[in-house]
Amino acid sequence: MIPKSADVVIIGAGAIGCSIAYHLARRGQTDVVVLERDLIGSGTTSKAAGGIRAQFGTETEVRFSLESLDFFRRFEEEMGTSCYLRQVGYLFLLNDERDLERFRQQVAMQQRLGVDVQIISPQEARELVPQLAIEDLLAAVYCPTDGYAGTNEVVMGYARKAREKGVRILEQTEVVDILVHGERVAGVQTTRGTIATPLVVNAAGPWAGLIGKMLGQELPLLPRRRHIFFTEPFPDFVHPSPLVIDRTSGFYCRAEGPGVLMSPGDAEAVPLSYHVGIDWSKAEETAQKATRRVPVLQRAGIMSGWAGLRPLTPDEHAIIDYLPGVEGVLCAIGFCGHGFQHSPAAGRVVAEMILDGQPSLDLSLFRLSRFQNREITQQGRAPEPEGNRMR
Ligand SMILES: Cc1cc2nc3c(=O)[nH]c(=O)nc-3n(C[C@H](O)[C@H](O)[C@H](O)COP(=O)(O)OP(=O)(O)OC[C@H]3O[C@@H](n4cnc5c(N)ncnc54)[C@H](O)[C@@H]3O)c2cc1C
């Protein structure tokens, strides 16, 4: 049965929404309802590669990464199940002088914050991944503590623990409208009835712009499609391997089971739709980029793949802020290509904003007002909803 009211209603049971629910419950706020129109973790969280890195360009995001990595390390102790964290490292390959200069500055900042990251030579990169073509490279950047974890294990871990503490997570329950009385939020209307609440958290991932539209507001969010492909078992690539990112082409790959996970690094607009059907011409593009950087991969057959939406903002930083114009709507959206890995820290700080009135970290990077004087382009507007928007 759908509850009549709740202190907090969270829209979206992805990594972000479930982490917020878990962190609220952990601190004793259990009168929380999470509404998910499909199944827990079935949104874009299910499409993530599970990558976890401390190599970000801003101090706030590096702090988010360090806190989140620490959480993933303690995951089993806190959640009772493993999240299969594998610290295989991230290896960025650079062949552009200006890019290298940018990385030098970022590496200095990351080292100052305690990240074990260093600039290494192309030859040293090839010692880590002997199949690399390095002739055109100037340098590489390597952080051995980066890696990946199981996205499903993490999101289900948050959800299970939140439920154990009393949070209600309702699947197949879509929010179709937000009810406002005067200047304040009063509740949400769902496909299964209405829930009264003074606080709505928008954690709807790439669809968060549609929640904004329910309140007559345009949110600066750009759902962008990205593909991932998996090869058949391929012992000629090093196993395990770091995640290798070719900065020139955007291509990335790492060992996955007995095969190789690869992405062309695409960031395509999906105009006026949320359609994420797979475009098999992308497999060809991926194979071409792979062959240039890891020539042996031309012998690897692509076995399967998928596409998903990354919820991008124009500056590729998330939005963690209250919506102006209406009291009681908190956004935790726009986590781009790093929402899975930043979900532990994001959940904790959003719980602080709700329970303490302010977060313990400086979150000015994520304020919505940073877009105030920028024009939100057509591309930045949420596409209109359509029937087949989930797949
Ligand atoms: C190919 C690909 C690779 C990626 N790789 C990585 C990676 O390596 N590392 C990383 O950290 N991130 C990665 N990401 C990004 C990551 O997937 C996202 O940043 C993250 O999953 C966002 O989580 P979320 O909870 O905000 O969104 P979601 O998981 O999409 O959750 C939002 C939920 O809201 C629900 N919803 C929407 N509208 C409504 C409504 N009206 N009513 C009820 N429910 C609603 C949706 O069904 C959905 O389940 C990748 C993304 C893609 C596409």
Side-chain angles (χ1 to χ4, degrees), residues 218-272:
E218 288 289 348
L219 295 173
L221 205 77
L222 306 85
R224 286 288 183 270
R225 184 168 67 166
R226 170 159 289 181
H227 288 74
I228 290 182
F229 296 100
F230 299 88
T231 73
E232 56 198 10
F234 192 68
D236 293 351
F237 188 68
V238 63
H239 285 74
S241 79
L243 184 89
V244 176
I245 303 116
D246 187 353
R247 288 280 298 177
T248 324
S249 69
F251 168 80
Y252 66 81
C253 68
R254 69 163 155 79
E256 167 78 16
V260 182
L261 173 157
M262 310 192 287
S263 172
D266 45 352
E268 297 167 301
V270 277
L272 302 181

Side-chain angles (χ1 to χ4, degrees), residues 11-17 35-39 41-52 90 173-176 203-207 211 214 224 226-228 252 306-311 332-333 335-342 389-390:
I11 306 174
I16 298 295
L35 299 171
E36 169 55 53
R37 67 173 172 205
D38 200 328
L39 299 174
S42 64
T44 210
T45 297
S46 67
K47 305 296 178 74
I52 296 168
Y90 261 52
T173 309
E174 179 167 4
V175 173
V176 292
W207 302 274
I211 306 298
M214 291 174 192
R224 286 288 183 270
R226 170 159 289 181
H227 288 74
I228 290 182
Y252 66 81
W306 65 59
L309 295 174
R310 292 185 310 143
I333 60 175
F335 282 87
C336 307
H338 46 266
F340 162 69
Q341 61 190 286
H342 278 177
R389 59 195 173 194
M390 280 298 291

